[in-house]
Amino acid sequence: QVQLVESGGGLVQPGGSLRLSCAASGTIFSRSAMGWYRQAPGKQRELVATISSGAITNYADSVKGRFTISRDNAKNTVYLQMNSLKPEDTAVYYCRASYVLIHWGQGTQVTVSS
């Protein structure tokens, strides 16, 4: 099945920026809708941003204007550019691919703290 590997997480101060990457294996990446989700301890996993195979994007209200999702089909990679980070953005961020089946990455930790 499809394998997804996230990278780019880390510790950043409030107001800082991070760029997450999700590299996908397989041959169906260009047909897949891709998304970023996040989950903090004790909370439900929530949608952050999605991008369709046609590059239509969707964002959670909490990140609109701060985060940007993009994809590079030639590299089988989806990105999440995160700017103006807030402490409430702290979570494990997961990459998701959806075509016929849904595939999840292992997650990457983002911590926003002074």
Side-chain angles (χ1 to χ4, degrees):
Q1 64 175 7
V2 173
Q3 291 183 255
L4 305 172
V5 180
E6 300 100 330
S7 62
L11 175 64
V12 65
Q13 295 183 11
S17 298
L18 285 173
R19 190 191 195 201
L20 305 183
S21 298
C22 173
S25 66
T27 61
I28 50 81
F29 179 83
S30 64
R31 296 176 181 264
S32 299
M34 303 296 298
W36 288 96
Y37 294 72
R38 66 188 182 187
Q39 187 167 25
K43 301 186 70 176
Q44 293 182 305
R45 187 172 297 187
E46 64 177 356
L47 181 148
V48 176
T50 61
I51 184 166
S52 73
S53 60
I56 297 172
T57 59
N58 181 54
Y59 298 92
D61 287 342
S62 60
V63 307
K64 285 181 179 176
R66 300 189 297 122
F67 291 10
T68 302
I69 188 171
S70 61
R71 65 192 297 160
D72 186 339
N73 289 343
K75 296 181 178 179
N76 285 353
T77 301
V78 63
Y79 305 95
L80 184 68
Q81 178 67 47
M82 304 185 294
N83 298 326
S84 302
L85 283 161
K86 305 174 181 180
E88 51 262 45
D89 295 319
T90 296
V92 176
Y93 283 70
Y94 297 92
C95 180
R96 192 183 86 155
S98 179
Y99 178 49
V100 176
L101 301 176
I102 294 173
H103 306 271
W104 291 94
Q106 81 289 346
T108 185
Q109 177 70 49
V110 172
T111 302
V112 185
S113 176
S114 298

